[in-house]
Amino acid sequence: MSGAVSIDDLVAWIHAFRDAVQQHKDELTRLDSEIGDADHGSNMARGLDAVVAKLDPAPATPAELFKTVGMTLVSSVGGASGPLYGTFFLRMGPALTSDDADATALGAALRAGVDGVVARGKAELGDKTMIDALAPALDAWDTAVADGADPAGAARAAAEAGARGRDSTEPLVARKGRASYLGERSAGHLDPGATSATLLLEALRDTLADAA
C-alpha cells in the first residue's frame, strides 16, 4: 500500500470486523458460556450490525467514523463489551486527525483507544481480558514501525502478537469481570474478550493487506 490509510480503508476495516464477528459469533458465545454470561458473540454481532447500518453513506472523516462506531456500540451492545469497545473507538477518533494516516499516526490512535479501554475497565496485562491481546499488539505495532514497516506490515505484526496474547489467556485465572467469580475454575478457557479483540486486529491486517 502507499503508506497511508484512507477513510475508505477504515470503513472497510469496520465492515471486516463485523463480518469476522458474524463468522465467529457462535464460538465467541461458546467461550463466554464457559466463564461469562454466554452472550458475547450475539451481543457483538448485533451491535456491529447496527454500526454497519449507520455507515451508508460512509462518514467523511475518521473522527466522524469512529464517533459513529463508538456511540452505536455503547448504545446497542449489552454488558461490559459495549462500553469497552465503544470507548476504544470514541478515543480513536480525536486521536486520528489526518484523513490519510501513516503507520505512526494510526498506531497512536490505536494506543489512545486502548488507553481508553484500560481507563474504563481498570484491567491490566494478565487479568484475562481483551487487554491481554491488545497490549502486546500495540507493542508489536510500535516495534514494526520503528523498523520501518508500513501500516500493512505493522498490522500484520500486531495481529500475530494479539493472537499470542489471546492464547496466553487460556491458563490464566481471571481477575476482572464475571469470570473472576469462578476463581481457579476460570483457568483452562480462552477469554472471549481477548478473542474478539484478536478478530479486530486480524480484520485490520486483512483490510490493509487487501489495500496494498
Side-chain angles (χ1 to χ4, degrees), residues 96-156:
L96 197 58
T97 56
S98 171
D99 290 347
D100 291 299
D102 62 13
T104 299
L106 184 54
L110 290 167
R111 188 167 291 280
V114 174
D115 287 348
V117 173
V118 171
R120 175 169 285 276
K122 312 298 182 189
E124 299 177 352
L125 197 64
D127 281 346
K128 199 179 180 88
T129 72
M130 60 196 295
I131 294 301
D132 290 305
L134 293 174
L138 282 178
D139 291 342
W141 181 289
D142 290 344
T143 298
V145 172
D147 290 340
D150 65 3
R156 185 167 57 250

Side-chain angles (χ1 to χ4, degrees), residues 5-11 54-69 93 96-101:
V5 178
S6 69
I7 180 65
D8 289 342
D9 295 328
L10 296 173
V11 171
K54 293 189 176 183
L55 299 185
D56 185 17
T61 67
E64 292 177 21
L65 169 65
F66 292 133
K67 181 178 180 180
T68 297
V69 174
L96 197 58
T97 56
S98 171
D99 290 347
D100 291 299

Side-chain angles (χ1 to χ4, degrees), residues 3 8 10 29 39 53 71 78 93 97 100 106-107 123 137 144 162 164 172 177 183 210:
D8 289 342
L10 296 173
T29 292
D39 58 7
M71 292 298 292
T97 56
D100 291 299
L106 184 54
R164 290 194 295 272
L172 296 176
D210 289 344

Side-chain angles (χ1 to χ4, degrees), residues 178-190:
R178 181 169 291 275
S180 66
Y181 302 160
L182 298 176
E184 296 290 336
R185 287 184 291 130
S186 65
H189 307 277
L190 287 177

